[in-house]
Amino acid sequence: MRPLQSLRISCAMFLVSTPINPGVHAQVPEPVIEETQFELSVANIMRGPELVGTTPSQIRWSPDGRTLYFVWKPPYEERQGLYRVSRGGGQPERLSDEEAARLEPRLHAVYSEDRDEAAYEHDGALFYLDVGSGRQRLLVSAPDRLSHIQMSPDGETVYFVRGDNLFKVDLESGAVTQLTDIRRGRGSPEREPPAGQRLHLSEQQRELLRVFAEDSISRARRWPPPPDTAQVDTPQAFYVRNGQRLGGYWVAPDGARMAFDLSDEARDARLAWVPDYVTEDGYTREAPRMRTFVGDEQGTGKLGIMDLLTGDVTWVEHAQQDRQVDLSFRGWSNGSDRLLAVGISDDFKDRWILRVDAATGESTALDHLHDDAWIGGPGWNSAGWMPDGDHVWYISEATGFAHLYTIAEGGGEPTPLTTGPWEVVRVELSPDEKEWFLVTSEVSPHERGFYRMNLDGGNRRLITGFRTLQGSEGRGRGRGGARSGSVAVSPDGRRLAVMYAWPNHPPELFLQDNRAGAEPVQVTRSTTPEFDSFAWHAPEIVYFPAQDGEDVPARVYRPTEPNGVGVIFVHGAGYVQNVHNWWSSYYREFMFHNLLVERGYTVLDIDYRGSAGYGRDWRTAIHKHMGETDLSDQVDGARFLINELGVEAGRIGIYGGSYGGFITLMAMFTEPEMFAAGAALRPVTDWAYYSHRYTAPILGLPQDDAEAYARSSPIYHAEGLQGALLICHGMIDQNVHFQDTVRLAERLMELGKESWEVAIYPKEDHGFVHSWAWTDQYRRILKLFEENLR
C-alpha cells in the first residue's frame, strides 16, 4: 500500500505550548498559571483527566441555531457542567444546574420537516416547542418515561411510545390516540378474526355491556391527557412473547403504517458469566453483562410493517430462502408506500440495499455487495433516500475503499459520487437537503477533513482547512443541527462548531463559517496548567517496508539521546487507526511513550494489517488467520527499528491491550528471537472464547474451522515462550473475560514456563477506571522493560 504522500516522513516533530494556535484568538478565561516543574512519572501521567483536562463533549446547537451548547470542565472548575456560547463566538458561559436541567431536554428535540416546530420529552412529559418564538406547551404528562418521540413532516402530529404501545397527539385538538395494541405474553397473533357465530356473540357483547368499551379506553388512558379528549382505536392485538424484543416504531410520513424490528433471543445459547469477587456486601456476584462464545446459537430478528388502522403485520421478505439475513430499517419514502432496508447475511459476506413495498413486504435488491472475507469498513450499514424520492444513496467498498453512491429506486447501474484511494468516513445531507456534508481522508490517510459537495458529486470543497479534525466520528444528524462527529453544523447550515486536534494536545472547540477559507476562532482551552508546562513530544509518521512489499504506516517517538532500546506499542480493537495527526484515544500511552523517550527508548506505534483507515484490502488481510500479517508487521517494524533507528537486536520489547495483548502474546510465543520482553494487557488468548459478532466474520465458526482458531490463538503456541512476559487483566472484564488469562496461566504452568507473571485487578473492567490500577499496571510494564531491555 502506497500512501498519498510521496515523502516517507509525513509529519515533522513539533512541540505545543500555550497558546495552542498562534494567530487564532482564544476567547476563553486566562487561568492563573503557577510556576511548576512537571515530573514525568508513571503515577503522574496515569491520573488521566486530572492531569490532561476534560475537552468539550455533547456539542449541540439550540433549536433556533443562535446558541451552541456543550458539556465541559475547564481546568479552573471542580466539576463539569453545561456551557453555552453565542453563534458568533465569545466567552463560554456556564449554566446553573437548574437552568441546565431545564434546557437539556430541548437539545434532544425532534423537528418538523421545515424545522419550525419541535417536540421533546422530559420526565414523562411531552412538550411542543415553537422554534421561532421559543414558546412551549405541555402535550402529555405520564408517571413514567415516554420514548421514540417523532413528529410528522407537516408538524401537525407528534408520536410517542409509552410502555410497548405507540400513541399520537393531534397538535391542533390535543387529542391523544392509541395506535397499537401490543401485548406481552403467550397470545396467538395468528388467530383468525371472529366470524359467523363468534362474530355475532362478540358484537352482541359490545352492544349489551358497556364494560368492554370502558376497559379499552382505560387501557389507553393511564394518565390524564391535557384536554379530556383521549381516543382509542382498537386494532387487533400483537403479542410479544418472552425472549422477544420489539424496537423501532418508525412511523410512515402519512401516519398509516409503522415499521418495527422484532428480535428473538437464542433460546438454547449458553451465556458466559463474569464473577465480581469484591462487592460491598462481601458476596460474590455476577457482573451485569453476559455474552455467548463464538459459534454458539445466536439470536435472530426480522423487520415488520404494521398497519396502524387494523393492526395487521406484514413481514419484510429478503428473497434469501436458505440464509438468515438481518434487516435494518433505513427510512420511509416520501409517499409512505416504500421503505429502505439494509440486509446483512449471517456469515457477514453479503450485503443488500433493499427497496421494500410497504403493502406486501416484497423487496427488490438495488445493490448487492459480496466480500469473500467479510463486509465492513466505514459506513457499510449506511443508506437513505435522496430528496427527490426517486433515488437512494449508500456507502460501499466495491472499489476497495468506502465511497458514496446513488442508484435509482427502480434499479439500474449505481452512480459513484466519490472515487479514489481514500475513504468516506461519514456522510449526511445538509439541513436544506441541497448538498452533501462529508468527512473523508482525501487529504491524507492520517487527516480528516469536512467537505461540502453538490448532490450530483460535483464541486467538492474542503471546509476545515485548519490542522485536522479530531478523528472520532459521530454518526448521523444530531438533534441540534446536522453533525458529523467532530463537526456540528448549525440548523441553518451556515456555522460550524469544530473539534480541532493535534497529535500532542487534546482537541479544542472552535467556531467558523461553513465555507472554504473561513477562519476558525477558538472557544475553549481545556488543558491544565500542569499539562501545559511540559513540552510533549509529537510522534513522526513514517512508513517502513513489510516483507510482502507493502508500506506499513507507523508513528515513531525518537529520543534525543537513544540508548539502543526499542519498544513497539500495539493498539487494540484490530479495526482501529492510531497513526494519525489528531489526539489519540490512547492518550495515557502517548504520555507513557514520552516517558520512555526521556529515558532513551525509541518507540514505534504501528497501524498493522487489520487497522482502520487504509481500505478494504488492509482491513481484511487478517481473514482466516489472526496473528499472521498483523504480527509480521510488528516483526518488520522491529527490523525497521534495528536497521534504520539504531536499536540493538535483542533489546526490543512489545506491549498492548486487548487485540494488542493478543498480538503481544503471539509475538512472545512465535517470534522469541525478536522480542525480549512483552506486556500483554487484557489479552485474548483463545478466539473460541470471544464474542460471535467480532470473531465469526474473521475466522468463521470454531466447529467449522478448528484449524483457523488453533493457528490464531496464543494458547496453542505458549510452548514457544522464551523472553520475559507480563500479563495484566481486570477480573470483571466483560469484553475479554478474565477466564482467558486464567486458562493461559494454567497452560504456562503445565508447560513448566518460568519467565512470566500475572497481575490481576479485582475491580477493573476492560477499560480501567481507577488511577491506582492504571499506575500499578504501567509501573509493572516499565519495570519489565527496564530490567529486561536495558
Side-chain angles (χ1 to χ4, degrees), residues 712-759:
S712 300
S713 297
I715 198 167
Y716 288 93
H717 308 280
E719 68 279 358
L721 177 63
Q722 295 180 21
L725 173 63
L726 168 67
I727 306 171
C728 300
H729 213 138
M731 292 184 72
I732 55 172
D733 190 332
Q734 295 165 84
N735 181 358
V736 180
H737 293 177
F738 182 58
Q739 179 185 20
D740 270 62
T741 286
V742 173
R743 293 179 68 241
L744 179 61
E746 175 64 24
R747 175 75 172 145
L748 290 170
M749 286 188 289
E750 292 177 2
L751 290 170
K753 297 297 179 179
E754 298 179 1
S755 57
W756 63 279
E757 63 179 18
V758 174

Side-chain angles (χ1 to χ4, degrees), residues 604-633:
L604 199 62
D605 173 1
I606 303 170
D607 270 349
Y608 51 87
R609 243 66 69 92
S611 299
Y614 308 96
R616 181 265 171 198
D617 291 348
W618 201 262
R619 174 179 67 81
T620 62
I622 59 174
H623 185 232
K624 288 296 184 180
H625 193 171
M626 291 190 276
E628 185 183 31
T629 54
D630 45 1
L631 175 59
S632 67
D633 286 343

Side-chain angles (χ1 to χ4, degrees), residues 29 31 41 119 142 265 267 342 365 418 455-456 474 647 653 683 725 739 742 771:
S41 67
E265 67 180 20
R267 298 184 181 182
V342 174
T418 61
L455 288 183
D456 63 2
V647 171
L725 173 63
Q739 179 185 20
V742 173
S771 61

Side-chain angles (χ1 to χ4, degrees), residues 437-514:
F437 292 161
L438 307 96
V439 174
T440 83
S441 59
E442 186 171 359
V443 171
S444 160
H446 315 294
E447 303 280 342
R448 295 291 182 267
F450 179 81
Y451 292 77
R452 298 174 67 170
M453 184 176 72
N454 294 351
L455 288 183
D456 63 2
N459 192 28
R460 185 170 63 254
R461 60 268 191 210
L462 176 64
I463 304 302
T464 54
F466 176 77
R467 305 278 179 143
T468 183
L469 299 181
Q470 178 63 14
S472 57
E473 297 302 331
R475 178 177 178 179
R477 182 173 297 176
R479 302 283 186 144
R483 197 166 70 87
S484 292
S486 51
V487 179
V489 185
S490 64
D492 63 5
R494 296 180 181 178
R495 290 285 279 174
L496 302 179
V498 185
M499 293 294 289
Y500 283 112
W502 300 261
N504 56 352
H505 195 286
E508 299 288 0
L509 179 62
F510 289 73
L511 283 168
Q512 69 174 78
D513 287 336
N514 189 5

Side-chain angles (χ1 to χ4, degrees), residues 261-289:
D261 54 48
L262 186 70
S263 58
D264 280 276
E265 67 180 20
R267 298 184 181 182
D268 297 327
R270 185 173 181 179
L271 296 177
W273 64 284
V274 176
D276 184 356
Y277 290 98
V278 183
T279 61
E280 290 189 37
D281 62 9
Y283 287 86
T284 301
R285 66 179 178 217
E286 294 180 7
R289 297 192 305 274

Side-chain angles (χ1 to χ4, degrees), residues 635-646:
V635 175
D636 292 332
R639 293 194 180 102
F640 177 70
L641 286 172
I642 296 168
N643 297 332
E644 303 292 337
L645 300 180

